[in-house]
Amino acid sequence: MKICSRCVLPETFPGIRFNEEGVCNFCLDFKGEEALKEEKQEYYHKFQDLIKQVKGKSDYDATLAYSGGKDSTYTLYLLKSVFKLRVLTITFDNGFISEQAFKNIRTVCENLAVDSMVFKADFHLLKKIFSAGIQNTMYSPKALERASTICTSCIGLVKFTNLKIALEKKIPLMAWGWSPGQAPIRSSIMRINPALFKSTQETYRKPMHGLVGDDINRYFLSDEQFKSYDFPYNVSPLAFMDYDEQKIIKKIEELGWFLPKGLDSNSTNCLLNTFANNVHIEKHKFHPYVFEIAGMVRSGVMSRDDGVEKIYGNKESTEAINLAKEKLGLK
Ligand SMILES: [Zn+2]
């Protein structure tokens, strides 16, 4: 398979074109590392200004969607130790969080002295939603360029679970551990617009409602909640902070974090991830993480060799795939 000579996007990626040197249109559109550095500075200052505005006004300054993976763990470290915020971590237990990830969550929260809560969603309901993600696409083709159907369902539930808690507790910031490839810098600090978010909610809620009915509504906002005046800001600090995978792992290991075993190279916490990726690759012929990884290679936070290894290295664990299938009742 032909892949871009600069990033790692394959010829099977939607809308891709290559020039004579084999460089893709996404790389040709990229403004360059210098421009990115300036933007990072700009957003770093923007974040500090925002902190001055909101800090200390509520019991917590920020929620953090905490999966126990390396990126959210490092984000927690930044929020607490670098930006000095009072953080409430929220872990959405989708039934596939590894034991080691849970240990990591407990240890890191204890060592950083932050409050933490776990929201375990009804697994029978999740099972129906995840299983349906194997057969049908559920979401727009654009959404599926960024993540598998199974991941997209899960992320939707995580987003709105966090938002409900942030609204209930009047927490002004909702932090996310999106890597620089997942969160474009220009959307890394953004106040939620209720009207816009209501339509976003429908893109997630509707397909899931089709599968499980009204039971899904409790994970989403009611019309009444959309009238709130306290909508928080979404913030993704990794988009504008220095990002180096090796340094991140070294830092969080100092906080007691251990790399979970038996997972693929793109997720350090979710046991459903490898299976979800495989389903996506079979159907769409490209890896659901390739856009993210290509973005990191292009912007210089990951070497191309590391990117190629992550996407095409085939280090997936059959153990994880079998476990996922078994738990979803597919075996
Ligand atoms: Zn490229």
Side-chain angles (χ1 to χ4, degrees):
M1 184 170 19
K2 182 177 178 179
I3 71 170
C4 171
S5 58
R6 202 171 287 170
C7 68
V8 294
L9 285 177
E11 60 186 340
T12 46
F13 195 78
I16 201 164
R17 297 182 303 276
F18 297 99
N19 71 5
E20 300 95 76
E21 283 101 55
V23 180
C24 80
N25 48 321
F26 297 90
C27 285
L28 294 169
D29 288 344
F30 178 59
K31 282 176 292 175
E33 281 179 49
E34 270 315 301
L36 186 67
K37 239 181 220 166
E38 273 172 38
E39 270 190 329
K40 278 188 171 189
Q41 273 297 318
E42 183 194 327
Y43 275 78
Y44 175 76
H45 291 301
K46 216 174 156 176
F47 188 46
Q48 290 209 309
D49 289 344
L50 180 60
I51 287 173
K52 273 184 213 146
Q53 263 181 58
V54 301
K55 199 172 170 175
K57 297 214 166 129
S58 201
D59 288 342
Y60 300 98
D61 302 313
T63 60
L64 171 70
Y66 193 20
S67 67
K70 67 172 171 22
D71 289 335
S72 54
T73 300
Y74 187 65
T75 305
L76 177 58
Y77 158 77
L78 291 174
L79 296 171
K80 171 76 195 204
S81 301
V82 177
F83 294 107
K84 313 285 182 203
L85 297 172
R86 285 166 312 161
V87 185
L88 172 65
T89 71
I90 302 164
T91 299
F92 183 85
D93 182 358
N94 65 0
F96 290 96
I97 298 180
S98 70
E99 282 311 310
Q100 185 58 52
F102 267 125
K103 276 186 199 160
N104 285 336
I105 288 168
R106 277 199 299 273
T107 310
V108 173
C109 286
E110 280 177 15
N111 286 339
L112 282 173
V114 302
D115 291 345
S116 146
M117 59 192 266
V118 176
F119 182 86
K120 174 138 177 56
D122 171 3
F123 189 69
H124 288 268
L125 195 136
L126 293 181
K127 203 167 141 179
K128 281 186 202 158
I129 293 169
F130 293 154
S131 303
I134 300 163
Q135 293 310 325
N136 73 64
T137 36
M138 290 170 73
Y139 305 106
S140 72
K142 201 81 205 155
L144 298 176
E145 289 174 14
R146 308 288 198 272
S148 67
T149 302
I150 292 173
C151 264
T152 305
S153 297
C154 197
I155 290 164
L157 293 168
V158 171
K159 274 186 186 165
F160 285 90
T161 303
N162 275 256
L163 179 55
K164 275 180 98 113
I165 295 169
L167 283 173
E168 281 159 15
K169 295 185 181 298
K170 299 193 188 318
I171 303 173
L173 305 175
M174 282 207 300
W176 303 91
W178 301 126
S179 73
Q182 287 171 319
I185 190 150
R186 283 171 186 281
S187 54
S188 63
I189 301 174
M190 219 172 232
R191 181 144 200 194
I192 294 176
N193 172 324
L196 215 86
F197 229 59
K198 201 171 177 177
S199 69
T200 304
Q201 169 165 299
E202 283 311 284
T203 64
Y204 291 109
R205 198 196 60 87
K206 249 193 176 160
M208 291 193 236
H209 186 270
L211 295 167
V212 300
D214 287 347
D215 280 346
I216 203 66
N217 293 347
R218 67 176 182 270
Y219 301 96
F220 291 97
L221 266 57
S222 63
D223 287 347
E224 204 50 47
Q225 281 174 303
F226 272 110
K227 289 180 192 149
S228 163
Y229 290 104
D230 298 308
F231 271 78
Y233 284 82
N234 272 320
V235 294
S236 307
L238 297 183
F240 50 84
M241 299 297 285
D242 286 334
Y243 188 96
D244 177 318
E245 201 172 13
Q246 290 317 309
K247 281 186 194 157
I248 284 175
I249 289 174
K250 194 164 171 269
K251 185 76 227 173
I252 61 177
E253 280 176 346
E254 288 169 22
L255 300 169
W257 185 91
F258 279 96
L259 186 71
K261 290 193 188 78
L263 301 172
D264 65 72
S265 49
N266 291 299
S267 174
T268 47
N269 57 283
C270 180
L271 296 167
L272 184 55
N273 193 58
T274 307
F275 177 64
N277 291 347
N278 268 25
V279 169
H280 186 98
I281 293 165
E282 246 171 59
K283 194 179 287 174
H284 302 284
K285 311 296 172 209
F286 62 89
H287 197 295
Y289 280 69
V290 74
F291 189 80
E292 171 194 349
I293 299 293
M296 291 209 268
V297 170
R298 196 177 299 126
S299 59
V301 300
M302 185 185 284
S303 75
R304 188 171 180 277
D305 285 349
D306 285 351
V308 168
E309 181 60 27
K310 269 192 193 282
I311 296 299
Y312 306 100
N314 257 331
K315 274 197 302 196
E316 63 195 29
S317 133
T318 37
E319 193 192 328
I321 292 176
N322 288 336
L323 186 144
K325 279 188 176 168
E326 205 170 295
K327 219 174 160 184
L328 289 176
L330 302 169
K331 271 186 121 178

